[in-house]
Amino acid sequence: MPELFTISAPPTPALAAAAAATLAPRLLAQAAASDVEGGFPTQEFDWLREAGLLAAPLPTKLNGSGLNEPAHTQELLSALRHIGRGNLAVGRVYEGHANALQLITRFGRPEQLERWAADAVAGHLFGVWNTEAHDGVKLAPLPSGRFRLSGSKTFGSGAGHLTRPLLTAALPDGGWQMLVLPADTQIPEYDARFWRPLGMRASASFRVDFTGLEIGSEELLGEPGDYYHQPGFSGGAIRFAAVQLGGAEAVFDETRRFLRALHRTDDPYQRQRLGQLSILVASGQHWLHAAAELAARPGPDAETLVAHANLVRSAIEDICLRVLPLAERCVGARGLLRPEPFERLHRDLTHYLRQPAPDAALADAGRYALDHPRPAYRLWHD
């Protein structure tokens, strides 16, 4: 359990995003030291705590900054992008923290929200563990009124460091129930052998076995099936897309630094590649801006928000996949050698881009376009 910090004055949404931008160079400088298989960026999250960023996604009435509110989506995506360009592993875990607090804010009973918000303000780290292992997680009611867990999750990012993971579990009737596990007292079994990744080593995304743990009804969040409510379930993809774009920006910055160090900035082919990279990165920034504008605007229905979020995640994945080979051509074989930062940035971004169901996301955006008769200029914006 990390040392906890009490934040007396949460930053405004704009200041929270600015704090993330300020932290990005420190995160980048520390990233190589944290890039250890099975490790975790503990010091980096201490910096986020001190900056008030762990509480920032909470509503202002609960000592947060309101980053998760639709009106402040622009600041949330900016904060995620800046943290991502500092260290994608930190960005991955922080995005899960923001996601968990959004679900708690939406579905928690008042007393639960107050308790878990106080935990976030005190420095507890939240996250969402949803990917089922072969045995899956099940929740069985006991005669005492408590519930017993069994089974496992995989890709439990922040395993051993998240003290308030949010997970889904199957009920005996087949429903899916959210719960927030007090993992500092109900400690699951972590299997680090699962995590032998190409990149994102420091995200500690282990297999987690919950068998034998017991919780009370006060740890159950919402009603069965609430986790999959739209637009929150699919629409949240814009958050991880923001982190990914931050990784692409880091690749861009490192490529430019590398060429300057070699005095290759006058090469016409390098200039052409940097022009192409500039178009790609700026395009991703425009996509995030459009996503934030749509989220903040009153009126879009869940179907529109989900379809547009699927466009955003698909576009930014494509942008990142095009950034990487262009940057490789710029830096050549020399830039791919350790300890050059490019080598780690390339691994981390390549791995993080492998989000689930990319083809289905793009197909859903296409279905929306086919089902709606509005012309292109009004398809996403009435």
Side-chain angles (χ1 to χ4, degrees):
M1 176 69 188
E3 179 186 355
L4 300 182
F5 297 85
T6 300
I7 308 301
S8 58
T12 64
L15 287 176
T22 300
L23 278 175
R26 292 175 68 188
L27 296 174
L28 183 63
Q30 179 69 14
S34 299
D35 183 36
V36 178
E37 200 165 271
F40 187 77
T42 302
Q43 183 173 19
E44 290 89 327
F45 274 95
D46 285 346
W47 295 340
L48 266 63
R49 286 185 182 91
E50 292 170 334
L53 288 169
L54 293 195
L58 292 168
T60 54
K61 65 181 181 181
L62 293 170
N63 296 314
S65 301
L67 272 186
N68 271 338
E69 296 172 6
H72 300 304
T73 304
Q74 187 70 58
E75 290 86 354
L76 172 63
L77 297 183
S78 180
L80 289 166
R81 184 166 54 87
H82 288 308
I83 293 171
R85 72 180 172 90
N87 186 326
L88 279 173
V90 177
R92 164 68 189 95
V93 177
Y94 183 72
E95 187 276 324
H97 177 82
N99 186 12
L101 292 182
Q102 185 174 75
L103 289 166
I104 287 169
T105 301
R106 183 177 180 188
F107 296 112
R109 299 188 300 273
E111 67 275 12
Q112 291 179 314
L113 180 53
E114 186 173 345
R115 171 162 53 92
W116 286 323
D119 286 344
V121 171
H124 284 274
L125 189 57
F126 289 70
V128 177
W129 294 344
N130 185 47
T131 306
E132 293 280 272
H134 68 280
D135 51 352
V137 175
K138 299 175 181 61
L139 189 65
L142 301 173
S144 64
R146 291 176 63 79
F147 297 82
R148 179 170 294 152
L149 289 159
S150 63
S152 307
K153 298 284 188 182
T154 55
F155 298 100
S157 294
H161 301 271
L162 267 62
T163 49
R164 297 292 183 270
L166 185 156
L167 53 140
T168 52
L171 295 166
D173 64 2
W176 284 93
Q177 175 66 54
M178 288 186 288
L179 63 100
V180 177
L181 183 74
D184 49 350
T185 57
Q186 292 288 315
I187 304 173
E189 181 179 337
Y190 303 112
D191 184 1
R193 295 171 300 176
F194 172 82
W195 193 235
R196 297 289 184 267
L198 168 70
M200 302 288 284
R201 292 171 175 171
S203 68
S205 300
F206 302 161
R207 181 178 180 270
V208 188
D209 190 340
F210 304 92
T211 302
L213 299 182
E214 292 186 10
I215 61 169
S217 59
E218 66 274 13
E219 267 74 59
L220 302 183
L221 175 64
E223 299 297 324
D226 278 350
Y227 178 74
Y228 296 102
H229 278 187
Q230 298 288 20
F233 178 65
S234 299
I238 62 175
R239 291 190 305 268
F240 69 68
V243 181
Q244 291 170 343
L245 185 64
E249 290 178 342
V251 169
F252 177 94
D253 290 339
E254 176 55 28
T255 301
R256 188 173 50 179
R257 184 206 63 79
F258 188 85
L259 292 176
R260 286 172 174 170
L262 292 181
H263 305 291
R264 298 293 306 279
T265 57
D266 290 335
D267 185 308
Y269 301 108
Q270 298 288 20
R271 288 182 171 181
Q272 182 183 33
R273 292 186 194 115
L274 262 293
Q276 292 174 291
L277 287 170
S278 297
I279 291 173
L280 291 170
V281 169
S283 297
Q285 292 166 349
H286 288 305
W287 273 110
L288 289 183
H289 184 75
E293 278 196 336
L294 187 63
R297 182 184 305 134
D301 58 22
E303 187 186 23
T304 300
L305 288 169
V306 168
H308 192 262
N310 283 331
L311 279 186
V312 173
R313 66 168 283 188
S314 300
I316 288 182
E317 180 195 27
D318 181 66
I319 284 165
C320 292
L321 289 172
R322 292 165 65 190
V323 161
L324 287 170
L326 273 171
E328 288 170 20
R329 289 194 172 208
C330 289
V331 304
R334 185 183 304 181
L336 294 171
L337 297 174
R338 289 189 296 269
E340 290 292 343
F342 187 90
E343 184 269 343
R344 175 185 49 77
L345 292 169
H346 193 293
R347 282 189 288 107
D348 283 355
L349 184 55
T350 298
H351 195 101
Y352 192 37
L353 286 172
R354 300 280 58 81
Q355 294 291 333
D359 298 322
L362 187 57
D364 182 72
R367 177 205 56 77
Y368 179 91
L370 288 169
D371 287 349
H372 290 75
R374 294 191 301 269
Y377 81 95
R378 289 186 56 235
L379 188 57
W380 311 103
H381 307 284
D382 289 337

